[in-house]
Amino acid sequence: MITPSDQLYVRNNLPAPDASILSDRDAWEIAIEGVKQPRRLTLRELKALGLETVATVLQCSGNGRGFFPSKPSGTPWSVGAAGCVLWSGVPLKTVARSLGGVADGMLYVTGTGGEKLPEGVDPKSIIVERSVPLKALADAMLVWEMNGAPLTLAHGGPLRLIVPGYQGVNNIKYIKRLAFTATETDAKIMSHGYRVTPPGGKADPSQPSVLEMGVKSWINSPHPDSGTLAAGAVQIHGVAFGGVHAVKKVEVSVDGGRTWREARFFGPDLGAFAWRQFVIDATLPPGSHTLASRATDAAGNVQPELRVENVSGYSNTSWDDHAMKVNVA
Amino acid sequence: MITPSDQLYVRNNLPAPDASILSDRDAWEIAIEGVKQPRRLTLRELKALGLETVATVLQCSGNGRGFFPSKPSGTPWSVGAAGCVLWSGVPLKTVARSLGGVADGMLYVTGTGGEKLPEGVDPKSIIVERSVPLKALADAMLVWEMNGAPLTLAHGGPLRLIVPGYQGVNNIKYIKRLAFTATETDAKIMSHGYRVTPPGGKADPSQPSVLEMGVKSWINSPHPDSGTLAAGAVQIHGVAFGGVHAVKKVEVSVDGGRTWREARFFGPDLGAFAWRQFVIDATLPPGSHTLASRATDAAGNVQPELRVENVSGYSNTSWDDHAMKVNVA
């Protein structure tokens, strides 16, 4: 189920760069800093360094926001702000190694987007610049293809940072600077944006940032939108992923979480950072049924029953929120 | 590298069905014959029977036709008439089992497409109906999704037969009848179409039909179209697949096949019927170089050096034909 959604990528209300940046992709430059031999590299040079493909779930941190009764501002997503796609490019660790390795004392990978900044505004207040912990270097990539085609502007072309297992905002589009840094960036999108702020509070840098994704699953079919179902056999199916860990197990309930049965994964395993499809046979008698799914990752983390309340409606992995009623006649 | 190509699917010069057949997908009917309890099934009923996803290379039997010096009629494809995509649907063996199993004495799986047939023409002369050996039942699927989205008309929606590892024409679009049969269909597209006819000959049913694909690979980059390359490090990459067997190994030559080095597979393994990406580091000095790739499948079949000459330019797996000259300055 490879379902890229352009809507994922509109962020921070910044205008996208002009499409002219795609006119000579290979000439795109990125500054690599915080390595022993910092320098600018063209996309042409990156392409000579290495080539890998990784499948990742790209999910907006606001996916599931629509289930918060507090009605946070922002798009009230249920499950549509996620996709699972293939990215091709060069591992960031290969790039760092080619420049002498990460400089001493660096603790973060900080990426800066190539959005055109409006004049007369403090750049720090608007620039798309995010820091992730240095451990993300193990899997991070600088990519120029999605699903085998050159990255479109909407998907961050000509060059994008992909941090497998991390929430969408950390996957910097049109990346123009990649720095290994001793501290998190003080850009507002990092210091006060995308923070998990307790209800009634104000965002501040001490609160958790939206970084690693949590284990999560949801049912895609049957769906309440399909109307009343005929009684009898049905295939209940959906997707599940573990964020930075592979998903290991999915259970399905047809009685709102009172009893569970283990579902079967199907289709190719695209790797630890991809979602997997799951399915279970069921026979639904007439009546109203509440279908739910609950995933467990390889580290033993179980998808929680309840959301963590927060001002902006981030990181909703609640299985109860994602459960749905279907009517069977 | 998931690169579906609509151009793959124009065949036999028959007009596609009217798009209205997609207006109520779940009501599409297919007749299942040659089973112990033959009957018509709706797509809605198929969806309740089971769900699997398989990745396959879908390749026109004329892919590589452009390398035949005899200039056969038909599109002179080099490598563009192939893609690797994910199909979701129900295994055909599940369908057969639900209808009591395959009737005794049946040796073929025969699919009939839903193309609208012109009046005043013998249907057998124009209908898209193909037979594959019964052993294909092990992997064949009736599918309603491609890459996670409902099948478009161009890709054979609402329902298509997928025969993993078999050449494109056998993957019947808008399938309206699936019959287990004792003999091959006598439709012209089977009896006299898609036959591997020796040079100067005429097609007849005794010649090999285009069924299983052979082991094959090609290099996608660098490419002569990219112009003169700069001397130095380069990543040589491409795709390889084994048809009905998984691909096991790819070797790359930068000297036209005199010497070979084993390439590295990269990216997710989508299963035996998918292609795999391969890559090898090389350093190319100034001059002209002939790049070639040669794949080996899990059964030990090696991609051949030479094509098998035939009237219609089918089934070209020659590594020498797919080799290419690049200029380095």
Side-chain angles (χ1 to χ4, degrees):
Chain A
M1 307 280 173
I2 290 178
T3 54
S5 162
D6 282 358
Q7 292 178 284
L8 268 181
Y9 305 88
V10 180
R11 76 165 65 115
N12 217 26
N13 298 319
L14 268 185
D18 193 276
S20 66
I21 68 172
L22 301 183
S23 65
D24 185 359
R25 292 168 177 271
D26 282 351
W28 179 263
E29 286 193 351
I30 178 171
I32 310 290
E33 302 174 10
V35 287
K36 293 195 176 139
Q37 295 140 30
R39 56 163 292 206
R40 301 177 71 78
L41 290 169
T42 62
L43 178 47
R44 183 177 291 106
E45 290 171 311
L46 289 174
K47 286 180 176 175
L49 284 179
L51 183 60
E52 293 290 345
T53 295
V54 65
T56 76
V57 172
L58 193 62
Q59 179 184 224
C60 178
S61 45
N63 204 28
R65 180 186 285 130
F67 300 122
F68 281 75
S70 56
K71 297 197 186 303
S73 68
T75 307
W77 294 109
S78 57
V79 298
C84 181
V85 294
L86 293 161
W87 308 101
S88 295
V90 62
L92 186 55
K93 62 188 172 196
T94 302
V95 178
R97 199 181 304 126
S98 79
L99 300 178
V102 176
D104 295 337
M106 300 310 174
L107 298 175
Y108 296 91
V109 177
T110 298
T112 309
E115 285 85 356
K116 206 191 287 187
L117 303 182
E119 310 241 343
V121 178
D122 174 11
K124 287 284 179 198
S125 71
I126 190 83
I127 198 164
V128 177
E129 186 168 279
R130 296 275 305 172
S131 299
V132 296
L134 189 61
K135 67 178 174 184
L137 179 59
D139 302 303
M141 306 253 293
L142 290 171
V143 306
W144 49 84
E145 281 191 1
M146 188 180 91
N147 291 347
L151 269 183
T152 60
L153 195 68
H155 291 302
L159 187 67
R160 183 170 193 170
L161 174 66
I162 292 297
V163 190
Y166 281 62
Q167 309 219 42
V169 69
N170 301 293
N171 297 270
I172 302 292
K173 301 200 291 186
Y174 352 99
I175 188 166
K176 66 178 184 187
R177 175 177 170 266
L178 188 293
F180 298 95
T181 55
T183 57
E184 276 184 9
T185 171
D186 60 354
K188 191 177 173 201
I189 194 175
M190 187 81 211
S191 62
H192 292 78
Y194 296 88
R195 294 281 166 180
V196 182
T197 305
K202 290 207 161 187
D204 78 54
S206 75
Q207 297 154 358
S209 186
V210 299
L211 296 170
E212 298 181 3
M213 292 190 288
V215 59
K216 187 170 178 179
S217 68
W218 60 78
I219 291 168
N220 283 321
S221 180
H223 193 273
D225 290 355
S226 22
T228 299
L229 304 174
V234 65
Q235 305 283 328
I236 301 173
H237 60 91
V239 292
F241 54 101
V244 293
H245 306 289
V247 64
K248 191 178 163 191
K249 183 174 79 166
V250 176
E251 299 156 293
V252 168
S253 172
V254 296
D255 56 12
R258 280 194 295 277
T259 62
W260 298 89
R261 274 199 303 145
E262 189 166 342
R264 171 176 67 85
F265 290 124
F266 69 103
D269 180 352
L270 303 182
F273 305 111
W275 64 32
R276 293 213 66 179
Q277 300 181 88
F278 65 86
V279 64
I280 196 166
D281 293 298
T283 303
L284 296 180
S288 175
H289 305 275
T290 298
L291 311 184
S293 66
R294 182 174 68 180
T296 301
D297 72 18
N301 300 300
V302 180
Q303 183 176 357
E305 179 172 1
L306 303 177
R307 81 187 83 86
V308 174
E309 297 292 345
N310 67 88
V311 169
S312 298
Y314 291 136
S315 306
N316 190 351
T317 60
S318 154
W319 65 252
D320 187 57
D321 277 359
H322 291 77
M324 63 172 101
K325 269 211 170 66
V326 293
N327 294 309
V328 175
Chain B
M1 308 278 175
I2 291 178
T3 53
S5 161
D6 281 359
Q7 292 179 285
L8 268 182
Y9 304 89
V10 179
R11 76 165 65 116
N12 217 27
N13 298 319
L14 267 184
D18 193 276
S20 66
I21 67 172
L22 301 184
S23 65
D24 185 359
R25 292 168 177 271
D26 282 352
W28 180 264
E29 285 193 353
I30 178 171
I32 310 289
E33 303 175 8
V35 287
K36 292 192 177 142
Q37 295 140 30
R39 57 163 290 207
R40 301 178 71 79
L41 289 169
T42 62
L43 179 47
R44 182 178 291 105
E45 290 170 310
L46 289 174
K47 286 180 176 175
L49 284 179
L51 183 59
E52 293 291 344
T53 294
V54 66
T56 77
V57 172
L58 192 62
Q59 179 183 225
C60 177
S61 46
N63 204 27
R65 180 186 286 130
F67 299 122
F68 281 73
S70 56
K71 298 198 183 306
S73 68
T75 308
W77 294 110
S78 57
V79 298
C84 180
V85 295
L86 294 161
W87 308 101
S88 295
V90 62
L92 186 55
K93 62 188 172 196
T94 302
V95 178
R97 198 180 306 127
S98 79
L99 301 178
V102 176
D104 294 337
M106 300 309 173
L107 298 175
Y108 296 90
V109 177
T110 298
T112 309
E115 286 84 355
K116 205 191 289 185
L117 303 182
E119 311 242 341
V121 177
D122 174 10
K124 287 285 179 196
S125 72
I126 190 80
I127 198 164
V128 178
E129 187 168 278
R130 296 277 303 173
S131 299
V132 296
L134 188 61
K135 67 179 174 183
L137 179 59
D139 302 303
M141 306 251 295
L142 290 171
V143 306
W144 48 84
E145 281 191 0
M146 188 181 90
N147 291 346
L151 269 183
T152 60
L153 195 68
H155 291 303
L159 187 68
R160 183 170 192 170
L161 174 66
I162 292 297
V163 190
Y166 281 62
Q167 309 219 42
V169 69
N170 301 293
N171 297 269
I172 302 291
K173 301 199 291 188
Y174 352 100
I175 187 166
K176 65 178 186 187
R177 174 176 171 267
L178 187 294
F180 297 94
T181 55
T183 57
E184 276 185 8
T185 171
D186 60 354
K188 191 178 174 201
I189 194 175
M190 187 80 209
S191 62
H192 292 77
Y194 296 88
R195 293 281 166 180
V196 182
T197 305
K202 290 207 160 186
D204 78 54
S206 74
Q207 297 153 358
S209 186
V210 299
L211 295 170
E212 298 181 5
M213 292 190 287
V215 59
K216 186 169 178 180
S217 68
W218 60 78
I219 291 167
N220 283 321
S221 181
H223 193 273
D225 290 355
S226 23
T228 300
L229 304 174
V234 64
Q235 305 283 328
I236 300 173
H237 60 92
V239 293
F241 54 101
V244 292
H245 305 289
V247 65
K248 192 178 163 192
K249 182 174 80 164
V250 177
E251 299 156 291
V252 168
S253 173
V254 296
D255 56 12
R258 279 194 295 276
T259 62
W260 299 88
R261 274 199 303 145
E262 189 166 340
R264 171 176 68 85
F265 289 124
F266 69 103
D269 180 352
L270 303 181
F273 305 111
W275 65 32
R276 292 214 67 179
Q277 300 181 88
F278 66 85
V279 65
I280 195 166
D281 293 298
T283 303
L284 296 180
S288 175
H289 305 275
T290 298
L291 311 183
S293 66
R294 183 174 67 181
T296 302
D297 73 17
N301 300 301
V302 181
Q303 183 176 356
E305 179 172 1
L306 302 177
R307 82 188 84 86
V308 174
E309 297 293 344
N310 67 88
V311 169
S312 298
Y314 292 136
S315 306
N316 190 351
T317 59
S318 154
W319 65 251
D320 186 57
D321 276 359
H322 291 77
M324 63 173 99
K325 268 211 172 66
V326 294
N327 293 310
V328 175

